[in-house]
Amino acid sequence: MKPNRKRLKVRLAARHARSIRSGIRELVDVEEILDRWFGLQTPIDRSDINDPYNIPGSMGRDWARMNIPIRSTERLENALARLYADGYVLAEDLTSYALARAIGLRKAAPSKKDLARALRMNWNKWTPGNRAAAALLEPPGALRRLLQARGVRIRGMSQTTLDRIGTGLADALRQGLTRQEASRLINGVIDDSARSLMIAGTEMAYAVTQTNMELYRESGVEMVEWLVADPCDDCQENYDASPIPIGEQWPNGDVPVHPNCMCDVAPYVVDTSSWAEVYGEDAE
């Protein structure tokens, strides 16, 4: 049975969307934000907000970045740790399958036993099981580096959250909303299930790709190719550049190139006529 990589990543990411959403909510205190916004000594002039030469919401976003403190990132850090651990385990199995199909059982790393197990795996019922929790206790190299990168990833999420709040505050001012109405608007901006699912999917793609690439290098893979999934222009450009040596950079960076990017990077083997024969539905 061939793994549908996109379906596996989407299904696994969905398990983490709620905890990501909870972590985003913990970043800021809405009532504190509204206290500061409605208590401005010099209120922002609504005419400035409506000025056609002013970028919509830019004043609100600038204010948000300068005046809204990030309360806590602990819950989001924990959510990402669990997500990355699941992504690491998925990437391990996908790498074993890729190598087993591409180079057979000729190589010693990963072990022949792992390669053979990957070929027999029922991907429709695949779950990380207890392996993800065990990996977090003593993180292997690839997972350890993912965990170390959480701070950078969370800073990006935090800044985007502040920008969204700032835009919402500018909208509230433009519409002349009361504090209660503004509270509902800002809470809706923060407690956004669609955004949480998008973040979970993007971070899962990031975790799987980073782990895949490290395991490919450890296994002696020399060339890799880009597998597209509903490609944008940037992803298509990466695909057109395939294959490339494993140490080189793609024209537009690694997966994920953009939010919700579900492309993949796979080993390129000269004696494999087409990687679509290995990843059938994923290489469409």
Side-chain angles (χ1 to χ4, degrees), residues 71-137:
R71 183 173 57 171
S72 173
T73 62
E74 181 178 1
R75 189 171 295 180
L76 193 51
E77 289 172 7
N78 292 336
L80 285 182
R82 293 190 293 271
L83 184 153
Y84 288 163
D86 279 358
Y88 173 83
V89 172
L90 175 59
E92 272 193 321
D93 287 348
L94 289 173
T95 298
S96 293
Y97 180 85
L99 295 175
R101 290 298 301 268
I103 62 177
L105 302 181
R106 301 191 303 273
K107 298 290 185 179
S111 72
K112 292 181 180 181
K113 181 179 178 181
D114 289 340
L115 293 176
R117 181 178 64 84
L119 288 175
R120 297 192 303 268
M121 192 169 295
N122 184 343
W123 293 101
N124 287 335
K125 296 182 178 180
W126 186 92
T127 64
N130 295 324
R131 293 162 58 198
L136 280 174
L137 291 177

Side-chain angles (χ1 to χ4, degrees), residues 266-283:
Y268 178 80
V269 181
V270 175
D271 61 1
T272 298
S273 60
S274 171
W275 195 254
E277 294 176 6
V278 178
Y279 280 124
E281 66 271 46
D282 289 343

Side-chain angles (χ1 to χ4, degrees), residues 24 27-28 33 56-57 60-62 64-65 68 156-172 182 185-196 198-199:
I24 294 292
L27 289 176
V28 296
I33 291 170
R61 289 191 291 273
D62 289 344
R65 289 198 173 208
I68 299 177
M157 296 175 204
S158 300
Q159 290 304 308
T160 300
T161 299
L162 294 181
D163 286 345
R164 288 165 58 88
I165 291 170
T167 299
L169 291 171
D171 288 342
L185 189 153
I186 300 304
N187 274 296
V189 166
I190 296 170
D191 196 20
D192 185 341
S193 58
R195 182 184 177 222
S196 298
M198 179 273 291
I199 289 174

Side-chain angles (χ1 to χ4, degrees), residues 246-258:
I246 196 166
E248 288 191 5
Q249 295 295 314
W250 297 100
N252 297 302
D254 288 332
V255 177
V257 173
H258 53 79

